[in-house]
Amino acid sequence: MTKTWGMAGLILLTATGSAFASGYSIPEQSVNSVARAGSYVAYTPGADAAYYNPANMSWLENRTHLEADATWINLTPVKYRDDRTVAYNGSAETENFFMPTLFAVSPEYNKFRFGFSITAPGGLAKEWRDPYPATFAEKFAVKVFEFNPTVSYRFCDRFSLAAGVRAVYVDGQVMSNGTVPVTAETPMGTLNSSSRIGRYMDGNAWEAGYNLAMSIRPIDNMNIGVTYRSKINLGVSGHANMSTSDVLLPPFLGGGVAIPGSLYNGDAGVEIPLPAVLAVAVSYTFFDQLTVELGYNRTYWSAYDSLDFTYSSPLTNPVMQGAFGDPRVKSWSDTNTWRLGVTYDFKNNWILMAGFAIDQNPAPDNTLSFELPDADARLYSIGVRYKINEDMEIGAAYLYDDKESRHVNNQYAVGEFSNEAAHLVTVGFSYKF
């Protein structure tokens, strides 16, 4: 009897996911940025200008500026309610993370300023224990770190340009475990069976890119900032351990094993984009105390068109090839983010900040799955800085990222994702000498 075997579609995305922003980017990296919901491009009065707009380093006081921050991130447990059966329902685990960052800016040397930052511009955290979601994303843990030296040049008191080199390190771990459907075409018609599949994969990569920045002061109290961070293709390579169980024939076809189980233990790799980001912002200071900034970000997620794993040897088992080898269409779209930030200097050593942002998500309904159940979001934030003396400041900030509930109907999920949100608390210390 001749049989043609195929596996129902399954996506198992690796090395991508979101901590709390659209896609898997993390734009908020310092006290000031968290406090102003990422509206921190035109008016950047601290050492963190080295990352957010290095052209603004030209406007800092002519001293050495240092800043160290620490952020605690809490991800709420995303809930999934399936329209077909309660057996497919699930809830992701609550996640907590600690993220340190560092920023430095040099004094001026012949109109040049030099900066350096260590940040975490992207990342992932998703873990599902319930059987159906765990088939797609039992655990996804990805960390992205960026080391970014920058240099600015002040052409005059109203115009500055800057550029930098992005050295990015990514480290990821993926686990998936569950039962997937397998279809069999026989002379008697289409028969359904299943296979137990599992995968553990880890990998890492070093990649490089660049960033550019411009700062213009057309009139007193106004600043216009433009920054561009290049796309970086993260060529993650590592090791994969994968398995599938036997696919069994039903008794009326004689029973027995139709497709033997398979094991893979070897090298693996995948390439994913850390997308380019264009940011444009304008700020104005009223009465030397109140600064308002309006910002716009364009994130070029359309670079994430598909996902294609590579292995050191072919996956000859059709179930394993269908589960882990076939390219997966992603078809993400470019996104827009609108940001508003407000800073008020009380002129008594206290500075109050607040922010709001509207953040689009890039994932279309037909490719959304459990590894990244992203949705459009509203961001609300507040923060404060206190000047200890002329050299030292401390600060704290809080941000709430509230994502909309989202209903999808595709080959991975037929139901609603809800309760997705993030809380960020950042504390920092800055020093000038």
Side-chain angles (χ1 to χ4, degrees):
M1 186 176 355
T2 301
K3 307 180 185 68
T4 302
W5 294 89
M7 179 179 173
L10 170 67
I11 184 169
L12 289 163
L13 171 66
T14 187
T16 56
S18 176
F20 53 90
S22 68
Y24 41 88
S25 64
I26 307 177
E28 297 85 6
Q29 298 284 319
S30 67
V31 168
N32 291 339
S33 179
V34 171
R36 288 161 50 181
S39 181
Y40 197 65
V41 174
Y43 176 63
T44 57
D48 49 355
Y51 177 77
Y52 284 99
N53 186 345
N56 281 347
M57 295 189 300
S58 296
W59 317 134
L60 297 179
E61 183 182 0
N62 190 15
R63 304 170 71 186
T64 297
H65 296 252
L66 301 174
E67 180 176 340
D69 299 291
T71 299
W72 169 71
I73 303 172
N74 168 260
L75 303 182
T76 59
V78 181
K79 299 184 183 301
Y80 172 70
R81 179 185 56 80
D82 196 272
D83 294 343
R84 297 162 294 183
T85 170
V86 296
Y88 288 173
N89 290 354
S91 178
E93 297 295 301
T94 300
E95 304 282 356
N96 292 282
F97 303 93
F98 174 76
M99 184 178 72
T101 54
L102 179 67
F103 310 92
V105 177
S106 76
E108 184 176 290
Y109 300 99
N110 297 321
K111 298 185 178 182
F112 286 96
R113 300 290 285 267
F114 300 91
F116 181 75
S117 62
I118 302 175
T119 58
L124 155 69
K126 276 294 171 287
E127 188 170 351
W128 299 82
R129 302 287 178 84
D130 302 284
Y132 183 73
T135 303
F136 302 88
E138 183 180 18
K139 181 178 181 181
F140 284 76
V142 173
K143 301 175 183 178
V144 180
F145 300 99
E146 180 172 341
F147 305 85
N148 186 201
T150 53
V151 58
S152 69
Y153 183 77
R154 178 174 58 85
F155 288 87
C156 63
D157 290 339
R158 296 193 180 273
F159 182 65
S160 174
L161 291 178
V165 176
R166 307 180 65 192
V168 173
Y169 175 76
V170 58
D171 179 85
Q173 182 185 82
V174 176
M175 296 173 61
S176 53
N177 186 16
T179 300
V180 297
V182 177
T183 60
E185 297 297 333
T186 76
M188 299 177 63
T190 301
L191 299 176
N192 296 317
S193 188
S194 62
S195 176
R196 187 79 182 175
I197 65 168
R199 172 166 68 173
Y200 174 88
M201 180 178 180
D202 57 14
N204 57 71
W206 277 99
E207 302 290 354
Y210 64 91
N211 63 295
L212 304 172
M214 178 177 67
S215 182
I216 305 172
R217 292 181 162 182
I219 60 175
D220 293 342
N221 298 332
M222 176 180 283
N223 202 70
I224 299 171
V226 181
T227 66
Y228 179 79
R229 307 189 75 82
S230 72
K231 182 185 77 170
I232 299 177
N233 289 320
L234 302 175
V236 180
S237 59
H239 188 84
N241 192 332
M242 307 182 301
S243 65
T244 66
S245 66
D246 294 341
V247 176
L248 301 178
L249 284 171
F252 62 86
L253 287 181
V257 176
I259 299 179
S262 178
L263 297 174
Y264 178 88
N265 191 348
D267 295 336
V270 67
E271 185 173 278
I272 55 173
L274 190 62
V277 181
L278 173 68
V280 181
V282 58
S283 68
Y284 190 85
T285 300
F286 300 86
F287 314 114
D288 197 34
Q289 286 186 283
L290 175 64
T291 301
V292 178
E293 177 167 331
L294 295 174
Y296 166 77
N297 288 29
R298 180 73 169 178
T299 305
Y300 296 95
W301 286 114
S302 57
Y304 192 22
D305 185 58
S306 65
L307 184 75
D308 190 7
F309 291 96
T310 59
Y311 302 96
S312 57
S313 60
L315 304 182
T316 57
N317 181 281
V319 177
M320 183 171 288
Q321 174 63 27
F324 306 126
D326 291 342
R328 307 300 176 186
V329 175
K330 299 304 296 177
S331 298
W332 282 18
S333 301
D334 297 340
T335 60
N336 301 312
T337 304
W338 297 95
R339 304 183 189 274
L340 169 66
V342 178
T343 303
Y344 188 81
D345 188 345
F346 287 93
K347 299 299 183 180
N348 62 356
N349 298 330
W350 289 95
I351 296 175
L352 182 65
M353 299 167 286
F356 173 73
I358 299 173
D359 195 16
Q360 291 182 332
N361 89 91
D365 287 348
N366 62 342
T367 65
L368 190 77
S369 187
F370 293 90
E371 80 290 335
L372 182 52
D374 202 9
D376 294 344
R378 302 291 187 270
L379 284 68
Y380 311 86
S381 63
I382 192 168
V384 64
R385 298 203 317 266
Y386 177 72
K387 182 182 293 186
I388 300 173
N389 54 42
E390 291 300 316
D391 301 327
M392 293 184 289
E393 281 188 1
I394 56 174
Y398 168 75
L399 181 146
Y400 175 60
D401 185 329
D402 182 24
K403 291 187 180 291
E404 298 177 356
S405 297
R406 187 169 182 183
H407 191 280
V408 297
N409 185 343
N410 58 41
Q411 59 183 321
Y412 318 118
V414 182
E416 183 181 69
F417 293 97
S418 62
N419 196 52
E420 186 173 8
H423 303 271
L424 280 72
V425 177
T426 301
V427 295
F429 172 79
S430 61
Y431 180 66
K432 297 180 289 187
F433 61 92

